[in-house]
Amino acid sequence: MKKIIFFLLLLCFTGSYGQIAHKRKLSMLGSPFEITVVAKDTVQANKYIDLAVAEVKRIENVISDWIPTTQVSAINDNAGVKPVKVSEELMALIERAIRISKLTDGAFDISYASMDRIWKFDGSMKEMPSEEAIKKSVEKIGYEKIILDKKNSTVFLRDKGMKLGMGGIGQGYIADKIKELLYTNGCTSGLVNVSGDINAWGRQPDGSQWTVGIVNPMNKNKVFAMFPLEDSAIETSGSYEKYVVFNGKRYSHIIDPRTGYPATGIVSVSVFAKTTEISDALATSVFVMGIEVGLNLINQLKGIECIIVDDKGNIHVSQNIDIEKYKP
């Protein structure tokens, strides 16, 4: 579960072009959902937002693994049994997810849903699971066991008990699809925030850029950086409220799908990219990979930047971010 650690600075008034910024807050996908659109009046703005809400529901009924009638649920139900025919949209999303898995050496893996839930972060766990239990918990995970047949448009999970879960990429994908849909329908400026997956396009009514402020989870009352967003996205993964401590070591609720052990050493990762889908998947990946390996990966990817806060409150940034430039 992600926690939003942003402050969105929105100017919700009529600008020099006779437009307004209109915001609506909802709860969707089991998470906070917020959308702001720039329009000529509230009637037009509400039409745009209604389109966005409908798009969320449409995609949810394709990619959710908790709704029994979705294509993803059908794939999971038939794991180790038979391939399942899927839409071109879902096939493409799974294919992109597998590419990210290869890029991150499995730190990101949509078959993570196959994991046994042996770690508890609700205060009930008093000792670490055994090494044997941890090893066994990830036996069914493995993106290389997701078999795609593009000719017949089918997806097959090789082993019984395997499951796909889009939690690490789905919300980012939804944010991107909302932007695409609204822009196509004439909304040339807006901002969508799906539980911390933020995509902004165009500008505010007065011509200024959308701005996001990032706080250090170890000092939530202070914004340490202010970043403009224009036709770009940001996502933050955080573990500063859901974790356990054993033998003086802090274990986050974000689990490495390759080992079954929780990520350590990091409390938040923010990734900037052109699409929220990429930001979403890479933020989780960097969290799992750790500071050094994670930043090394980000520094090799064009147009993608990263901010990491470690469990001591120290801030680490990718090579093209001058944090001093963005201090408030």
Side-chain angles (χ1 to χ4, degrees):
M1 177 182 169
K2 290 173 291 189
K3 184 78 174 179
I4 305 168
I5 57 168
F6 302 112
F7 291 112
L8 296 176
L9 303 184
L10 309 177
L11 299 176
C12 297
F13 53 77
T14 303
S16 56
Y17 302 102
Q19 293 186 310
I20 62 162
H22 187 71
K23 179 164 63 174
R24 191 187 300 176
K25 292 183 179 181
L26 300 161
S27 179
M28 301 190 76
L29 308 167
S31 303
F33 175 87
E34 183 177 297
I35 181 164
T36 303
V37 296
V38 174
K40 63 182 180 182
D41 53 37
T42 55
V43 173
Q44 185 185 60
N46 281 319
K47 285 182 180 178
Y48 288 147
I49 294 173
D50 289 343
L51 273 177
V53 170
E55 180 73 345
V56 174
K57 292 177 179 176
R58 182 192 72 79
I59 298 172
E60 185 178 23
N61 280 287
V62 175
I63 71 172
S64 297
D65 61 324
W66 62 85
I67 299 175
T69 54
T70 67
Q71 294 175 39
V72 168
S73 290
I75 294 168
N76 293 344
D77 291 343
N78 287 281
V81 178
K82 65 178 182 180
V84 172
K85 194 168 185 65
V86 301
S87 64
E88 184 179 332
E89 177 181 27
L90 182 58
M91 175 68 78
L93 179 59
I94 293 174
E95 191 174 22
R96 292 194 301 274
I98 290 173
R99 284 204 296 266
I100 295 171
S101 294
K102 291 176 180 177
L103 177 69
T104 62
D105 294 323
F108 173 85
D109 194 326
I110 58 171
S111 68
Y112 78 92
S114 315
M115 189 185 307
D116 295 333
R117 303 292 191 259
I118 60 173
W119 295 88
K120 309 294 181 186
F121 299 93
D122 57 4
S124 64
M125 193 166 64
K126 303 305 178 187
E127 60 181 16
M128 284 183 65
S130 67
E131 285 187 28
E132 182 181 353
I134 293 170
K135 185 178 179 181
K136 188 175 184 301
S137 72
V138 293
E139 282 181 350
K140 296 182 179 71
I141 295 176
Y143 67 90
E144 69 281 355
K145 296 184 285 186
I146 304 170
I147 313 301
L148 305 184
D149 181 345
K150 294 184 70 177
K151 182 180 178 181
N152 295 302
S153 194
T154 62
V155 179
F156 178 56
L157 304 183
R158 198 179 71 194
D159 297 345
K160 283 191 175 183
M162 279 188 72
K163 291 181 181 179
L164 301 186
M166 298 297 176
I169 196 170
Q171 290 181 333
Y173 174 67
I174 286 172
D176 289 339
K177 292 296 284 184
I178 289 172
K179 171 188 173 181
E180 179 185 321
L181 177 67
L182 295 192
Y183 192 86
T184 301
N185 280 275
C187 180
T188 57
S189 182
L191 183 146
V192 58
N193 180 356
V194 185
S195 189
D197 290 273
I198 297 174
N199 197 326
W201 66 102
R203 293 200 172 203
Q204 297 190 63
D206 68 342
S208 64
Q209 293 173 301
W210 302 105
T211 306
V212 61
I214 304 179
V215 302
N216 187 327
M218 312 301 277
N219 182 12
K220 296 180 187 178
N221 296 320
K222 185 178 180 182
V223 174
F224 71 80
M226 299 289 299
F227 288 90
L229 289 181
E230 186 171 353
D231 298 320
S232 60
I234 179 175
E235 197 277 341
T236 288
S237 289
S239 71
Y240 35 90
E241 290 185 348
K242 294 185 71 175
Y243 62 92
V244 291
V245 178
F246 292 121
N247 302 319
K249 192 170 186 178
R250 188 181 189 277
Y251 296 90
S252 85
H253 75 286
I254 298 175
I255 311 293
D256 187 336
R258 302 167 297 185
T259 66
Y261 281 87
T264 61
I266 293 175
V267 293
S268 78
V269 176
S270 299
V271 173
F272 298 84
K274 274 295 180 184
T275 69
T276 331
E277 179 184 309
I278 290 292
S279 299
D280 197 356
L282 289 180
T284 304
S285 304
V286 170
F287 213 111
V288 167
M289 297 169 86
I291 298 168
E292 186 176 346
V293 177
L295 286 179
N296 183 56
L297 170 67
I298 296 298
N299 287 335
Q300 296 178 61
L301 302 176
K302 186 178 179 180
I304 297 174
E305 302 300 336
C306 180
I307 299 174
I308 300 172
V309 181
D310 67 26
D311 57 7
K312 302 293 190 296
N314 300 313
I315 297 166
H316 310 260
V317 299
S318 53
Q319 61 188 8
N320 291 321
I321 290 184
D322 179 1
I323 202 73
E324 294 296 320
K325 178 181 175 182
Y326 297 102
K327 283 188 175 180

